[in-house]
């Protein structure tokens, strides 16, 4: 599986996600944002976390308008896989590849803590290695992760089963306390219409080694590598 | 030609920053503030003197970058 990790000025989780992909058996190239094409044979594009362009204007707004994003849009339109984590999710929303927007956390604070997520479905390219209904422990670190979209869009996402992950407690209950950034319907991640684009705020790439507190993030990368192998 | 672009949150979109500012004004003892909504303001200088062209360029700028029309409205004013 060939993955291309796009690096913007201010990206800072590119190394971690590349490591997670390699550990799962993927082949990883990094691509600078000023390029206008992806490496030949790219199966998966990853937009990593960080603070692209210093979060100027709106988080992800400027990165979403760079040259490489035209190539990413074309890749997605061909059915290619795209994964956006944290700032990458914000970029996907700003670029129109995913609906909605990530607003300032409801409590106005940068939040950084362990987080349980409910895996909503396990029949996608991103989640096949998880068990149905599984609760995974990952972590979050963001100031703008409060998912918002108009009522019609939320209704469509729910109706089409396009919620990928929801914030929940350890037992898998989706509670207000577990949804610390205030996202509508506790949404932590969403899929595109064809389920080939996924954006999520939490960081699965942090949880690939017991040394760092767990390995629940591995399933996502292993699913992707298995799918594209 | 100079222009000013104002970007504001659509009504119905929660504005936690505006709410915090509203609370701070109240704690300062400034009376009569019913609510605060925070927005953004851009002062733009344009090469052209053609008002229609300027307006078209700024509208495009708003649609493509300055505003996220999922949550924001924008207003363009030419000097």
């Amino acid at each position: 599986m060939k993955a291309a990790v796009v690096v913007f000025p201010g990206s800072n989780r590119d190394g971690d996600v590349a490591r997670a992909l390699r550990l799962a058996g993927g082949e990883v190239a990094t691509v600078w944002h000023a390029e206008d094409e992806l490496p030949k044979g790219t199966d998966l594009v990853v937009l990593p976390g960080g603070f692209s362009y210093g979060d100027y204007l709106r988080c992800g707004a400027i990165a979403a308008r760079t040259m490489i994003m035209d190539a990413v849009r074309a890749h997605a339109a061909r059915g290619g896989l795209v994964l956006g984590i944290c700032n990458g999710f914000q970029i996907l929303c700003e670029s129109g590849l995913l609906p909605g927007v990530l607003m300032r956390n409801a409590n106005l604070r940068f939040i950084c803590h362990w987080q349980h997520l409910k895996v909503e479905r396990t029949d996608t390219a991103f989640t096949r290695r998880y068990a149905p209904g599984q609760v995974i422990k990952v972590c979050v670190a963001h100031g703008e992760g409060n998912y918002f979209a108009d009522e019609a869009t939320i209704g469509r996402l729910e109706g089409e089963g396009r919620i990928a992950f929801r914030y929940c407690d350890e037992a898998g209950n989706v509670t207000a306390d577990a949804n610390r950034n205030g996202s509508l319907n506790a949404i932590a991640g969403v899929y595109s219409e064809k389920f080939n684009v996924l954006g999520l705020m939490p960081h699965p790439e942090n949880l690939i080694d017991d040394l760092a507190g767990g390995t629940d993030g591995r399933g996502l990368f292993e699913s992707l590598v298995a799918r594209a192998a | 030609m100079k222009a000013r672009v104002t970007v504001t949150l659509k009504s119905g979109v929660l504005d936690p920053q505006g709410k915090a500012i509203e609370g701070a004004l109240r704690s300062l003892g400034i009376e009569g503030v019913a609510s605060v909504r925070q927005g953004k303001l851009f002062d733009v200088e344009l090469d052209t003197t053609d008002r229609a062209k300027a307006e078209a360029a700024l509208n495009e700028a708003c649609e493509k970058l300055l505003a996220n029309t999922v949550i924001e409205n924008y207003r363009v004013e030419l000097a």
Side-chain angles (χ1 to χ4, degrees), chain A residues 57-58 61-62 65 93-94 100-101 103-108 146 148-150, chain B residues 9 12-17 20 40 42 63-68 70-72:
Chain A
L57 190 62
R58 297 177 304 274
I62 299 183
R65 277 93 185 159
C93 287
E94 278 284 345
V101 53
M103 305 204 33
R104 181 66 64 91
N105 294 343
N107 66 3
L108 294 176
N146 182 353
F148 176 88
D150 61 38
Chain B
L9 281 177
V13 175
L14 202 67
D15 178 15
Q17 295 179 91
K40 293 191 186 93
F42 304 87
E63 289 288 335
K64 286 192 172 166
L65 180 64
L66 298 183
N68 181 334
V70 175
I71 48 164
E72 293 169 327

